[in-house]
Amino acid sequence: MNRLKELREKNRLTLRQLYERTGISDVNLSRYERNLVNPKKRVWKKLSDYYHVPVSYLKGTDRELDDYLNNMVDKNFILKELRKNKNLTLEDIQKQTGIKRSTFSDYENDHTEPNIKTLIALAGFFNVSIDYLVGRTDE
């Protein structure tokens, strides 16, 4: 299924409602969802901003990156070490990143893994690479 349609349906929006919220014609939205035409760059950006996802996700081009992250041999997340080195509590993390304390704790304890969007945000927050976060490099 087309990700544009998938996101719209997930958010329980009609084409008309999405048009009213984005200003993108419902006729064009329907064409994009049916892969009859491709949106222009500014339309991709508008939809990306509306759904709070990267354009690459909307286009479906992030699958290679997801596969890369999901198939890594070493998934040793070092978030706890990074947090402690900065003298941050889980509450500090929640306040500064918006990630719930319990969710971040689950990441630290390898009970769950952050998605690529969260990994990018955490890499930026801690000023490290994604490869460093997932234990693929020591730098």
Side-chain angles (χ1 to χ4, degrees):
M1 179 187 291
N2 180 299
R3 286 196 174 162
L4 293 172
K5 184 174 184 178
E6 182 181 297
L7 280 169
R8 181 180 56 80
E9 290 178 346
K10 182 179 175 185
N11 286 278
R12 296 185 175 141
L13 295 169
T14 64
L15 287 168
R16 186 72 178 165
Q17 289 170 323
L18 187 56
Y19 155 68
E20 290 168 354
R21 294 175 186 192
T22 64
I24 302 167
S25 130
D26 51 348
V27 172
N28 283 337
L29 288 167
S30 175
R31 289 178 182 151
Y32 303 149
E33 287 184 2
R34 294 180 290 147
N35 294 314
L36 298 177
V37 294
N38 285 316
K40 293 183 179 183
K41 190 174 184 177
R42 64 179 172 74
V43 174
W44 281 121
K45 178 71 173 126
K46 190 178 277 192
L47 290 167
S48 168
D49 290 344
Y50 178 77
Y51 286 119
H52 306 291
V53 296
V55 171
S56 61
Y57 177 82
L58 292 176
K59 290 181 174 182
T61 57
D62 66 329
R63 288 191 176 111
E64 289 179 22
L65 184 55
D66 285 344
D67 289 345
Y68 164 77
L69 292 170
N70 289 329
N71 293 317
M72 290 182 307
V73 176
D74 187 359
K75 292 189 177 182
N76 180 26
F77 292 94
I78 58 161
L79 292 172
K80 191 173 210 168
E81 180 181 326
L82 287 168
R83 178 176 61 82
K84 292 198 178 250
N85 285 344
K86 288 192 171 218
N87 295 317
L88 297 170
T89 65
L90 289 173
E91 188 171 282
D92 294 331
I93 293 291
Q94 182 171 329
K95 287 178 185 174
Q96 294 181 37
T97 67
I99 299 170
K100 292 181 181 178
R101 292 181 299 196
S102 60
T103 302
F104 196 86
S105 176
D106 285 345
Y107 296 157
E108 287 182 342
N109 295 304
D110 207 19
H111 296 298
T112 188
E113 297 172 355
N115 62 28
I116 185 61
K117 185 178 175 183
T118 304
L119 276 175
I120 291 168
L122 289 170
F125 177 76
F126 287 112
N127 198 28
V128 296
S129 70
I130 292 174
D131 279 343
Y132 181 76
L133 278 181
V134 298
R136 297 200 25 104
T137 183
D138 293 333
E139 300 175 22

